[in-house]
């Protein structure tokens, strides 16, 4: 028995060492083709300017797909923060937002397919994962214990998920207030941080799609609100969102005295604007646990605005509560497959 306990202890120690081994070390994701430097500038937003859907880059991409954008640079300095059982890692970089002026941390995970030779000339879809709560100084989706990255990997193997690049930025500039992921007058420009700086950072470091077909959000609670709001606000840049246990309307106390600006960040008004313009189409998948409140708000929002180009679904998570573990379960039970059918898949090399 003592020998068995000793072996068990040694196994646990080895598991812990493997799990944390390499943390703090430098990380390089994938291998960019030599023509990466010829791609469009990092400042271009998805679906804008030189990166508009269908527009060829200055140098044709190796796959022949004009929607593929190779990393534009400059490369960020990534440091490992966690290692998953399949050998993939989560890493963190510091981003000084050129547009927002805000500087904060961003965590990144790429699936193992991103480093495979058959995909080295392909773009990958991006899922920007936003936390709830303070959303500062960390993003809890970067904690491997929630299982988000594992759920995606398992979904890829089962054929129910695309191999997403997962980008996990801080949501707020401090833990004192909630900023609604918006440019509230007189406050840090967190709307610009989320909608422009974080995508530009992603394009600088990874192979992505130029069109909105490769860009989506997921989020929980306050992060669900921000993800949904951003998709409705910039439908030319982002196509879909998984919004879990989310809020529907802006509610930061910092909006006081700025009604017009708050209205410009209100999903109800943004959805109606899309309906009136008849597009472009966006896709909203709500997730809600049967043990949490809020479904009535989602249902009312869907009834009023889930029409025309605004496509909405509501997924019940049986016995689900207001937490990330249960929202990941909902994603495994169907939401990952839902969003994977909406976005563009990476294309392996042929021949």
């Amino acid at each position: 028995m003592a020998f068995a306990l000793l072996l068990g202890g040694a196994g646990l120690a080895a598991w812990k060492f493997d799990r944390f081994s390499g943390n703090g070390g430098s990380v390089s994701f994938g291998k960019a083709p030599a023509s990466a430097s010829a791609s469009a500038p990092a400042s271009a937003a998805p679906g804008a300017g030189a990166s508009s859907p269908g527009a060829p880059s200055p140098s044709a991409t190796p796959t022949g797909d004009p929607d593929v954008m190779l990393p534009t640079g400059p490369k960020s300095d990534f440091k490992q923060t966690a290692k998953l059982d399949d050998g993939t890692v989560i890493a963190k970089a510091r981003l000084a937002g050129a547009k927002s002026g805000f500087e904060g941390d961003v965590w990144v995970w790429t699936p193992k397919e991103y480093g495979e030779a058959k995909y080295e000339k392909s773009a990958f879809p991006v899922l920007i994962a936003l936390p709830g709560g303070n959303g500062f100084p960390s993003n809890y989706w970067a904690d491997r214990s929630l299982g988000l990255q594992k759920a995606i990997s398992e979904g890829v193997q089962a054929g129910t998920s695309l191999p997403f690049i997962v980008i996990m930025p801080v949501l707020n500039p401090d833990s004192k207030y909630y900023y609604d992921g918006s440019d509230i007058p007189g406050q840090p420009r967190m709307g610009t941080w989320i909608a422009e700086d974080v995508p530009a950072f992603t394009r600088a470091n990874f192979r992505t799609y130029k069109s909105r077909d490769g860009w989506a959000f997921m989020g929980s609670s306050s992060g669900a609100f921000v993800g949904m709001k951003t998709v409705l606000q910039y439908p030319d840049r982002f196509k879909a969102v998984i919004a879990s246990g989310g809020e529907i309307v802006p509610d930061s106390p910092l909006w006081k005295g700025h009604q017009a600006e708050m209205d410009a960040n209100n999903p109800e008004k943004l959805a109606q604007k899309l309906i009136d313009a008849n597009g472009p189409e966006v896709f909203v998948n709500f997730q809600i646990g049967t043990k949490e409140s809020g479904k009535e708000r989602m249902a009312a929002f869907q009834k009023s605005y889930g029409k025309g180009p605004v496509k909405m679904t509501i997924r019940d998570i049986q016995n689900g509560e207001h937490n990330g573990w249960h929202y990941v379960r909902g994603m495994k039970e169907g939401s990952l497959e839902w969003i994977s059918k909406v976005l563009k898949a990476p294309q392996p090399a042929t021949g």
Side-chain angles (χ1 to χ4, degrees), residues 131-135 171-182 184 221-227 247 249-255:
N134 292 334
L171 182 60
N172 292 309
D174 56 51
S175 57
K176 185 176 181 181
Y177 294 109
Y178 171 53
Y179 293 73
D180 278 335
S182 304
I184 301 176
S221 194
S222 55
F225 165 83
V226 175
E247 301 298 327
V249 296
D251 59 3
S252 171
L254 298 171
W255 286 117

Side-chain angles (χ1 to χ4, degrees), residues 1 3 40 78 85 98 119 157 165 192 197 200 213 261 264 268 304:
M1 181 180 292
F3 182 66
F78 289 102
D85 295 339
Y119 288 110
Q157 295 304 308
I165 298 171
T192 299
D197 289 332
D213 291 338
E261 291 86 352
E268 294 176 339
S304 296

Side-chain angles (χ1 to χ4, degrees), residues 21-252:
S21 114
N23 281 5
S26 295
V27 173
S28 178
F29 292 100
K31 179 182 178 183
S35 59
S37 60
S39 296
S43 59
S51 303
S52 58
S57 61
S59 176
T61 56
T63 59
D65 182 355
D67 198 23
V68 172
M69 175 178 277
L70 303 178
T72 62
K75 290 184 178 180
S76 298
D77 182 20
F78 289 102
K79 301 296 184 184
Q80 180 179 311
T81 61
K83 185 177 181 180
L84 276 63
D85 295 339
D86 64 357
T88 60
V89 301
I90 299 170
K92 179 175 72 173
R94 190 74 174 172
L95 169 61
K99 295 291 185 67
S100 68
F102 172 72
E103 182 175 338
D105 290 331
V106 182
W107 289 260
V108 170
W109 174 82
T110 61
K112 63 182 182 63
E113 288 79 10
Y114 188 82
E116 293 179 355
K118 65 180 178 180
Y119 288 110
E120 70 176 6
K121 297 177 183 179
S122 174
F124 276 68
V126 175
L127 193 61
I128 301 175
L130 303 178
N134 292 334
F136 179 90
S138 61
N139 182 321
Y140 54 60
W141 294 116
D143 186 335
R144 58 166 276 164
S145 69
L146 288 178
L148 171 61
Q149 296 80 13
K150 182 180 180 182
I152 293 172
S153 293
E154 291 177 346
V156 173
Q157 295 304 308
T160 56
S161 176
L162 296 181
F164 294 99
I165 298 171
V166 182
I167 306 295
M168 299 159 279
V170 293
L171 182 60
N172 292 309
D174 56 51
S175 57
K176 185 176 181 181
Y177 294 109
Y178 171 53
Y179 293 73
D180 278 335
S182 304
D183 290 355
I184 301 176
Q187 305 298 331
R189 302 176 64 200
M190 301 313 293
T192 299
W193 162 260
I194 294 294
E196 296 195 46
D197 289 332
V198 170
F201 159 88
T202 307
R203 292 190 301 275
N205 288 283
F206 302 97
R207 304 188 303 276
T208 59
Y209 287 114
K210 300 173 187 177
S211 74
R212 72 191 194 111
D213 291 338
W215 294 82
F217 283 91
M218 63 152 285
S220 53
S221 194
S222 55
F225 165 83
V226 175
M228 179 176 68
K229 187 267 294 188
T230 307
V231 169
L232 293 170
Q233 198 169 32
Y234 301 104
D236 58 329
R237 304 182 190 181
F238 310 102
K239 191 173 185 180
V241 59
I242 298 173
S244 303
E247 301 298 327
I248 302 298
V249 296
D251 59 3
S252 171

Side-chain angles (χ1 to χ4, degrees), residues 245-310:
E247 301 298 327
I248 302 298
V249 296
D251 59 3
S252 171
L254 298 171
W255 286 117
K256 187 176 181 180
H258 303 289
Q259 185 66 43
E261 291 86 352
M262 184 173 75
D263 288 346
N265 289 274
N266 187 330
E268 294 176 339
K269 297 184 180 298
L270 292 167
Q272 187 60 56
K273 183 179 178 181
L274 266 180
I275 294 168
D276 293 342
N278 196 30
E281 285 187 341
V282 295
F283 298 82
V284 179
N285 180 65
F286 286 119
Q287 291 196 137
I288 188 76
T290 58
K291 289 187 175 181
E292 64 174 318
S293 61
K295 184 174 181 179
E296 296 80 8
R297 294 193 300 271
M298 291 179 175
F301 186 76
Q302 182 186 41
K303 182 178 180 180
S304 296
Y305 305 106
K307 61 185 71 173
V310 184

